[in-house]
């Protein structure tokens, strides 16, 4: 019930922005800036980059708002933009590190126990996993995103979505089963 009320309220703000009231976007930024920042921080592991990316994400979401179809909640849509933008940043950052001349590379840049093949396979598995999560239906997708990517507890997810922690546990159990099945289909 609480989640539905929150969704309706955010839709009112989204519709106000779409109707030509850009000042209404401040409400959405204030409500979700912490979530976006934490997603960025989790992926970048750098406070400055996370803050910069957060601003970029809100600007991108604002410019893409006319395309928001309201099939999902604004927060889910924004979360997906944040994850994609951060992963793009991470790939670009890794490419830049790989391009640096040997004199620019510190010894810590090369410390790893993984072979290039293991790194490639790990990145490929991560990519497949992201696609599987993106294909999950709601409410399973958002439960997985909050639990695994945002590191929220069952209770935090329950509080944010207006459901019980037991419901969150059940949704995650079902989501994992769906993901296993989908993963087996991809083999």
């Amino acid at each position: 019930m609480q989640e539905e009320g929150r969704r309706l309220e955010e839709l009112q703000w989204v519709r106000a922005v779409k109707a030509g009231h850009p000042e209404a976007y401040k409400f959405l930024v204030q409500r979700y800036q912490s979530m976006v920042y934490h997603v960025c921080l989790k992926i970048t592991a750098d406070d400055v980059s996370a803050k910069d990316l957060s601003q970029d994400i809100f600007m991108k979401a604002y410019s893409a708002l006319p395309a928001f179809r309201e099939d999902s909640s604004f927060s889910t849509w924004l979360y997906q933009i944040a994850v994609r933008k951060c992963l793009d940043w991470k790939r670009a950052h890794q490419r830049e590190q790989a391009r640096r001349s040997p004199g620019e590379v510190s010894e810590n840049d090369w410390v790893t126990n993984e072979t290039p093949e293991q790194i490639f396979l790990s990145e490929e598995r991560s990519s497949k996993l992201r696609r599987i999560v993106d294909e999950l239906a709601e409410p399973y997708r958002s439960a997985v995103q909050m639990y695994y990517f945002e590191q929220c507890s069952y209770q935090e997810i329950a509080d944010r979505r207006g459901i019980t922690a037991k419901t969150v546990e059940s949704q995650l159990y079902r989501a994992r089963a769906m993901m296993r099945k989908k993963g087996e289909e991809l083999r």
Side-chain angles (χ1 to χ4, degrees), residues 43-133:
I43 294 173
T44 66
D46 178 62
D47 180 60
V48 174
S49 297
K51 287 177 181 173
D52 290 344
L53 278 169
S54 294
Q55 290 179 355
D56 291 347
I57 288 161
F58 279 108
M59 288 178 7
K60 179 176 173 74
Y62 180 79
S63 64
L65 205 54
F68 176 57
R69 295 187 315 254
E70 302 179 13
D71 295 341
S72 64
S73 67
F74 175 80
S75 59
T76 299
W77 181 75
L78 180 63
Y79 179 84
Q80 290 172 346
I81 291 173
V83 168
R84 287 185 183 111
K85 183 94 170 142
C86 288
L87 292 175
D88 288 346
W89 174 90
K90 189 172 188 172
R91 280 189 288 276
H93 187 70
Q94 288 169 337
R95 278 193 303 269
E96 180 60 33
Q97 283 185 322
R99 268 188 246 147
R100 291 188 296 184
S101 69
E104 295 176 289
V105 179
S106 75
E107 62 186 55
N108 290 335
D109 288 341
W110 295 99
V111 176
T112 181
N113 292 329
E114 293 183 295
T115 66
E117 294 85 14
Q118 289 170 321
I119 293 169
F120 174 77
L121 291 173
S122 175
E123 289 174 359
E124 193 170 299
R125 279 191 296 270
S126 293
S127 178
K128 284 181 184 176
L129 182 59
R130 281 191 299 275
R131 282 194 307 271
I132 290 171
V133 170

